Amino acid sequence: MNNRSIALLKWVVFPLSLLPFVLVAWRFWLAATGAQPDALGADPVNTLTHITGDWTMWFLLISLAITPIRRLSPKLAWLIRFRRMLGLFAFFYGTLHLGTYLFLFSGYDVNGAWEGVKSGHLSVLWTNFVAVWPTIWEDAMKRKFVQVGLLSWFILLVLALTSPQWVLRKVGGKPWQRLHRWVYVAGALAVIHYWWLVKKGVLTPWRDTAVLTVLLLGRLAWTLWKRRKTQAAPRAVQAV
């Protein structure tokens, strides 16, 4: 696929990737304004938490799947041009997921903050956050799934901040690649977060777990094959 086609396709992939956010924002607005109070179901916070969490996991898995898929054929090499975008969308939805916890689940006074912003008092955003911080900290220390989720998000934050090309050029290819392999750790932590979040006996996370396991095994198989191939090359030369 040529550069022009890839550029055009990116203009399609980007709005499609943003569509879940637009739809959930629309539902949130309908519920918040009272136009459709049940737009987010009986428990809006729980609905937002699951929607943003699901899309975080899906974008993360899709971005991880690009490398093994493109290795199937040289004709699929162009897929690598979309990995960064999809990885950043995983971070975007992960941040929304975290924001749902920080500003809705924690008891943050959203209405009061909004009224303060409209009246020009931006400091109310920080004041309200300081007020609920003890609750957030206590909850995070008590719940392991919160700790694991925060660690996964922090890894995605580091990877997002180091994703630009100028960072790659500055630190060098191999160190940059080693750093960005931590995305697999972020994925594993996200799956653990999911398992610890759901109630005992709920097996919903098994699908994401299965996909991530296949991707990790594929990565391991490729690494072992490349290592064996590299080791076999000198032996073949010596034999000749």
Side-chain angles (χ1 to χ4, degrees):
M1 184 175 290
N2 57 46
N3 290 336
R4 181 180 176 82
S5 299
I6 291 174
L8 290 174
L9 187 57
K10 282 185 176 181
W11 279 99
V12 176
V13 174
F14 187 90
L16 285 177
S17 300
L18 202 59
L19 185 60
F21 167 73
V22 174
L23 292 177
V24 77
W26 172 249
R27 291 170 63 184
F28 181 82
W29 183 84
L30 290 175
T33 59
Q36 189 177 334
D38 61 344
L40 289 172
D43 189 347
V45 175
N46 185 60
T47 300
L48 289 172
T49 300
H50 282 288
I51 291 175
T52 54
D54 286 342
W55 280 106
T56 301
M57 196 72 237
W58 295 337
F59 272 105
L60 190 55
L61 292 175
I62 292 171
S63 65
L64 288 175
I66 285 179
T67 296
I69 290 175
R70 76 180 181 88
R71 285 171 177 162
L72 296 176
S73 170
K75 295 182 179 180
L76 298 175
W78 57 271
L79 286 173
I80 201 68
R81 302 276 291 274
F82 291 85
R83 186 174 60 182
R84 180 177 303 162
M85 178 195 294
L86 296 172
L88 288 174
F89 268 110
F91 171 69
F92 171 70
Y93 284 103
T95 302
L96 292 178
H97 184 65
L98 176 61
T100 302
Y101 169 73
L102 292 179
F103 297 107
L104 297 179
F105 183 82
S106 66
Y108 185 91
D109 187 5
V110 177
N111 292 329
W114 177 242
E115 292 300 323
V117 169
K118 288 196 296 184
S119 61
H121 298 92
L122 298 180
S123 61
V124 71
L125 296 171
W126 177 250
T127 302
N128 286 359
F129 183 75
V130 171
V132 298
W133 174 249
T135 303
I136 295 172
W137 179 259
E138 181 181 356
D139 189 59
M141 292 299 99
K142 184 170 58 177
R143 302 175 188 270
K144 290 184 178 180
F145 72 85
V146 175
Q147 299 169 20
V148 172
L150 285 172
L151 182 55
S152 178
W153 177 84
F154 180 75
I155 293 173
L156 292 179
L157 171 64
V158 173
L159 300 183
L161 292 175
T162 57
S163 66
Q165 280 290 342
W166 68 267
V167 178
L168 171 59
R169 290 192 296 268
K170 190 173 183 63
V171 303
K174 288 187 177 180
W176 189 88
Q177 287 181 349
R178 284 196 294 269
L179 172 63
H180 279 254
R181 287 192 188 113
W182 277 81
V183 68
Y184 291 97
V185 178
L189 290 173
V191 166
I192 294 172
H193 167 74
Y194 196 178
W195 278 109
W196 287 355
L197 172 66
V198 298
K199 294 180 180 180
K200 187 176 181 180
V202 176
L203 302 178
T204 308
W206 78 265
R207 299 180 182 88
D208 297 331
T209 307
V211 173
L212 181 62
T213 300
V214 170
L215 293 174
L216 289 173
L217 291 175
R219 175 82 189 191
L220 177 61
W222 173 264
T223 301
L224 294 175
W225 180 79
K226 288 285 289 185
R227 185 178 301 173
R228 179 174 297 181
K229 187 177 179 181
T230 302
Q231 293 173 349
R235 298 196 196 102
V237 173
Q238 292 175 1
V240 174

